Amino acid sequence: MTDRDPLLDPAIDPAAMRKQYRAEGLAAQDLATHPMDQFARWFEDAARAALHGTVYEPNAMVVSTADAAGRPSSRTVLMKQFDTEGFVFYTNYDSRKARELAENPHIALLFPWHPLARQVIVTGTARRTGRDETAAYFRTRPHGSQLGAWASAQSSVIASRTPLDAAYADLEARYPEGEQVPVPPHWGGFRITPQAVEFWQGRENRLHDRLRYVSRPDGTWKVERLSP
């Protein structure tokens, strides 16, 4: 142990941590007409950066939900599909996030691509995917992940890891590698329909570029610049 005050060490003092963003700016005239097309451009950049080891898991996003009383919760989830309709992720329907979405369908997503000095922030509503779509994705999961979807009662309190490991071992014996695992009835996807999508580009002196698409009633989008 050391008697050194950690707040006097700039290496571990949050207030002393500084990062100057020197990325090129983001101009409204350079944006795609549709936010999902613009997301595709940035996601491709993040995916290419991942191939070079710069970004880790570019499809990782922070998912924020709130219960019926408005109490929020957040966690990191992997986005598994995006298209003009929005974003899709999969989860246990008995998990905390799924239970909160059943009470309150409003949701926020955050893609934190820190090495690129970029963020994408999405607000919208969530609805469950159909069972056919869920089953099609489930079949693409590794065998172990399919078993894990059955073994874990996600978000429930457990006394230790022992029963979790035992449940997985039982499933592994019942469904060995190569044998089809049924889709759990309590597991499936959520499709996020965006109502606003903000593209955040870090700039010098904290004067970041923030351009936000906002959905209009007629299905078109307006773009507005936010002050950093």
Side-chain angles (χ1 to χ4, degrees), residues 1-221:
M1 297 293 291
T2 177
D3 294 329
R4 182 180 62 187
D5 185 346
L7 295 183
L8 299 181
D9 185 347
I12 57 175
D13 177 6
M17 294 177 180
R18 296 284 185 272
K19 178 68 175 178
Q20 187 70 276
Y21 303 126
R22 303 188 184 281
E24 293 183 6
L26 181 63
Q29 62 266 27
D30 296 331
L31 293 178
T33 302
H34 196 284
M36 297 308 297
D37 292 332
Q38 181 63 35
F39 179 84
R41 293 178 183 177
W42 272 26
F43 186 76
E44 181 179 356
D45 290 343
R48 291 185 183 279
L51 292 176
H52 294 91
T54 306
V55 172
Y56 182 70
E57 291 192 313
N59 60 326
M61 60 184 183
V62 178
V63 173
S64 298
T65 56
D67 63 17
R71 292 169 294 203
S73 63
S74 298
R75 75 289 293 162
T76 302
V77 174
L78 295 179
M79 181 268 295
K80 288 300 179 180
Q81 180 187 344
F82 69 92
D83 53 30
T84 55
E85 301 300 316
F87 306 86
V88 176
F89 70 88
Y90 292 87
T91 188
N92 187 312
Y93 284 147
D94 295 324
S95 65
R96 178 177 180 177
K97 57 184 169 297
R99 286 186 279 109
E100 290 184 346
L101 288 172
E103 297 175 343
N104 178 357
H106 296 285
I107 189 170
L109 312 176
L110 168 64
F111 292 87
W113 298 322
H114 299 304
L116 302 180
R118 286 177 174 177
Q119 302 179 74
V120 179
I121 303 118
V122 180
T123 55
T125 55
R127 70 179 189 278
R128 291 187 180 189
T129 58
R131 294 310 293 174
D132 288 346
E133 183 177 356
T134 291
Y137 170 70
F138 188 79
R139 300 289 173 230
T140 71
R141 286 165 64 92
H143 182 72
S145 296
Q146 293 181 7
L147 298 179
W150 279 102
S152 173
Q154 194 175 85
S155 299
S156 64
V157 176
I158 54 177
S160 71
R161 189 179 176 88
T162 301
L164 181 64
D165 290 337
Y168 184 89
D170 288 344
L171 287 160
E172 196 171 27
R174 189 184 314 171
Y175 302 105
E177 188 76 44
E179 186 165 332
Q180 182 169 297
V181 180
V183 182
H186 56 270
W187 188 93
F190 280 100
R191 180 175 297 277
I192 314 309
T193 301
Q195 296 169 340
V197 185
E198 178 186 333
F199 293 85
W200 184 101
Q201 176 68 71
R203 298 291 302 276
E204 287 186 306
N205 303 316
R206 296 298 185 262
L207 298 178
H208 314 305
D209 284 327
R210 299 176 59 190
L211 295 174
R212 181 173 64 187
Y213 293 79
V214 179
S215 176
R216 293 189 177 106
D218 64 359
T220 61
W221 297 84

